[in-house]
Amino acid sequence: MTSIPQPPIHTIADFLADPVAAADFPHATLRFRNDRAAASVGLAGLSDAEWVEKFGRFEPLADNLPQPLALRYHGHQFRSYNPDIGDGRGFTFAQLRDVRGRWLDLGTKGSGTTPYSRFGDGRLTLKGGMREILATEMLEALGVNTSKSFSLIETGEALHRGDEPSPTRASVLVRLSHGHIRIGSFQRLNTLDRAEEMERLTRYVVEHLYGETPGDEPALQLLEHVVQRTARLAASYMAAGFVHGVLNSDNINVTGESFDYGPWRFTPFWDPEFTAAYFDHQGLYAFGRQAQAIHWDVVQLAIALTKLASIDALAPILDTFPQVYEDAYSGAMLARLGVQPRSDADDLALVQAIEQALATRTVGIDRFFFDWSGGTRRPGPYDTRYAHHFGPVETLLTRYQPARTTDHPYWSDAEPCSMHIEEVEAIWSAIDTSDDWSLLHNKVAAIRRMGEAHQWPK
């Protein structure tokens, strides 16, 4: 790993962020450390005591940012524009290159108040931190481009929350992410009419997050990348059966990496109306509307970028989103199934047949992809259900070749590895009532085993 005295975010920190300090927590008890992610940025060799100092007390990393930075941004929240947001309980405190040469951020959730906390306490519940670990591990295992839950440390505070039993335990989470620049970061600069800063931020993202030399029209470069990445993200959510829950424009990273998990859920059945957030009364971010929601957010980025480029130049790029999504969706569904793509027409027909069969809700999403891995149905307890509803799927699959082997022991298990709300609650209950972390650590191990079996490209 190569380090430099000042990571690149310092070049735009003067208008993008405010220096802040971490809270002084009563205790710092290490609950989870992601050594796999740490190895990718050269930090796996830290002892537990050193880990707590860095990620619980936030002692600066050598040759890195001298002080944490709370990022400034605006955003549409459930389609209502809010200029009064920003990092209210988190900050970016280091940037490191990973083994692929990318610049990654170490950012926090629950690290204390900032100028953008408003009436919040800047804290994170321990349950919320545990839930983010489960979300990121499961998504990574299912091939979704996601931030990594890097560290979870219990902080010894009692928090009061109106939507869950209180008082409850507190934590600070560290995530490893490919940038924390949001669509809302650009919306803020547009609203404040800061074209020069918009230009600097655009060039920063193109150069440091996408690894390209900014050209004469960096806004067009940026929008093309964001359209491609976010459309693929939306497609991967569908193939994973995942509902993010809060796809506001301040929650969409311009690198197309999924992050910031609040009321997420995995839907057990193929239900386009399934929602994750109890407060999403209109189903704006329902399972089947996620591509539409993300596309709407990207439109807001394009509007902001009119500070730098004409709408006539931006619009054709924006208009490619639906087709990019459709292509990526077919690819994501076939990748999870473990078969090689054929023609666009064949792939579309197969994906539509899978959707129609799963919509009968005779079997769950995870069960289907498990039983048909590699394109051939294995005998099992759901034979009758498959015979009644999955005939077209089976017929179409006779044309396909497997894209992975099924000799990993996972494919011989009786049940697929899933992550539904009942299990999330059971894992939390063991922690809450007995301080038993074994269910969490066992689940993470099971999820990673499933990820190995899927043989995703590195």
Side-chain angles (χ1 to χ4, degrees):
M1 181 188 68
T2 302
S3 62
I4 61 175
Q6 289 184 306
I9 197 171
H10 87 278
T11 64
I12 54 172
D14 59 315
F15 68 86
L16 188 76
D18 294 281
V20 294
D24 184 11
F25 299 114
H27 302 289
T29 304
L30 180 58
R31 295 302 189 181
F32 176 81
R33 57 179 286 170
N34 190 338
D35 282 318
R36 182 170 69 178
S40 73
V41 290
L43 294 176
L46 295 176
S47 68
D48 282 356
E50 291 170 326
W51 189 280
V52 168
E53 285 302 309
K54 300 298 184 187
F55 310 126
R57 302 300 184 191
F58 299 101
E59 175 187 289
L61 296 180
D63 297 329
N64 220 288
L65 296 176
Q67 190 171 359
L69 298 172
L71 301 188
R72 309 169 187 170
Y73 47 86
H74 293 179
H76 278 88
Q77 298 183 313
F78 287 85
R79 302 288 168 88
S80 295
Y81 193 74
N82 188 349
D84 296 320
I85 50 179
D87 280 343
R89 56 173 174 169
F91 49 61
T92 297
F93 70 96
Q95 283 188 311
L96 301 165
R97 284 194 188 274
D98 70 356
V99 293
R100 296 163 54 186
R102 302 180 304 163
W103 280 109
L104 302 186
D105 294 350
L106 285 172
T108 64
K109 192 173 184 179
S111 50
T113 56
T114 77
Y116 309 104
S117 299
R118 291 179 289 171
F119 302 107
D121 59 15
R123 270 44 174 190
L124 173 68
T125 67
L126 186 62
K127 183 179 182 180
M130 177 216 74
R131 282 173 48 84
E132 185 140 341
I133 292 170
L134 292 173
T136 55
E137 290 286 339
M138 193 71 180
L139 288 172
E140 183 179 5
L142 290 174
V144 176
N145 180 20
T146 178
S147 63
K148 311 296 187 290
S149 294
F150 194 83
S151 171
L152 184 67
I153 289 175
E154 188 168 358
T155 59
E157 296 177 310
L159 303 181
H160 291 267
R161 295 291 186 265
D163 56 353
E164 60 184 276
S166 296
T168 189
R169 295 152 72 176
S171 67
V172 61
L173 176 87
V174 174
R175 71 164 68 96
L176 182 67
S177 183
H178 188 203
H180 281 86
I181 308 300
R182 301 153 161 85
I183 287 175
S185 307
F186 288 84
Q187 290 180 281
R188 171 181 170 270
L189 297 176
N190 181 54
T191 298
L192 298 177
D193 197 22
R194 296 182 179 175
E196 186 272 334
E197 292 173 356
M198 178 89 75
E199 174 90 11
R200 286 171 60 191
L201 182 59
T202 301
R203 289 182 173 275
Y204 170 89
V205 173
V206 170
E207 179 180 0
H208 295 294
L209 299 183
Y210 281 107
E212 293 183 355
T213 301
D216 294 336
E217 295 281 1
L220 305 185
Q221 280 180 272
L222 174 63
L223 185 62
E224 185 167 0
H225 281 302
V226 174
V227 165
Q228 292 282 332
R229 294 283 189 91
T230 57
R232 292 202 294 268
L233 175 64
S236 67
Y237 280 170
M238 297 301 291
F242 180 72
V243 187
H244 183 283
V246 187
L247 293 173
N248 296 329
S249 61
D250 59 297
N251 285 340
I252 303 298
N253 191 329
V254 294
T255 61
E257 181 185 79
S258 179
F259 80 123
D260 205 10
Y261 301 99
W264 61 267
R265 295 278 187 94
F266 285 89
T267 175
F269 296 99
W270 195 268
D271 178 4
E273 300 299 320
F274 184 91
T275 58
Y278 69 88
F279 46 81
D280 187 3
H281 303 295
Q282 305 302 316
L284 182 64
Y285 300 141
F287 176 56
R289 298 190 184 99
Q290 293 184 108
Q292 177 185 350
I294 291 174
H295 188 192
W296 192 92
D297 289 329
V298 178
V299 170
Q300 308 317 304
L301 174 62
I303 292 170
L305 290 173
T306 57
K307 279 280 186 292
L308 307 180
S310 72
I311 191 64
D312 290 340
L314 292 162
I317 300 172
L318 192 63
D319 289 345
T320 66
F321 187 101
Q323 188 59 56
V324 174
Y325 168 75
E326 290 298 332
D327 293 343
Y329 174 52
S330 291
M333 293 287 278
L334 268 58
R336 185 172 181 188
L337 190 57
V339 297
Q340 298 177 13
R342 283 175 52 85
S343 67
D344 290 347
D346 284 346
D347 296 347
L348 177 61
L350 175 59
V351 170
Q352 288 177 339
I354 291 171
E355 279 186 342
Q356 290 166 7
L358 286 175
T360 65
R361 305 189 196 182
T362 53
V363 296
I365 296 172
D366 299 324
R367 184 84 233 183
F368 165 74
F369 283 109
F370 180 78
D371 286 347
W372 295 74
S373 179
T376 302
R377 176 171 61 88
R378 74 192 68 205
Y382 291 89
D383 286 356
T384 302
R385 299 184 191 184
Y386 288 135
H388 287 168
H389 299 286
F390 287 78
V393 174
E394 191 155 24
T395 298
L396 290 168
L397 278 173
T398 60
R399 308 173 188 173
Y400 283 79
Q401 297 296 317
R404 63 168 172 253
T405 63
T406 54
D407 54 1
H408 190 283
Y410 170 75
W411 302 114
S412 298
D413 290 353
E415 299 289 337
C417 181
S418 299
M419 180 48 63
H420 299 140
I421 189 61
E422 297 80 9
E423 187 171 10
V424 175
E425 293 297 329
I427 292 170
W428 169 245
S429 179
I431 294 169
D432 187 37
T433 60
S434 306
D435 209 30
D436 179 3
W437 290 81
S438 63
L439 291 183
L440 174 67
H441 293 295
N442 290 343
K443 188 63 181 183
V444 169
I447 291 170
R448 292 184 177 186
R449 176 174 173 268
M450 176 188 69
E452 293 170 359
H454 278 79
Q455 302 172 19
W456 301 111
K458 297 297 184 183

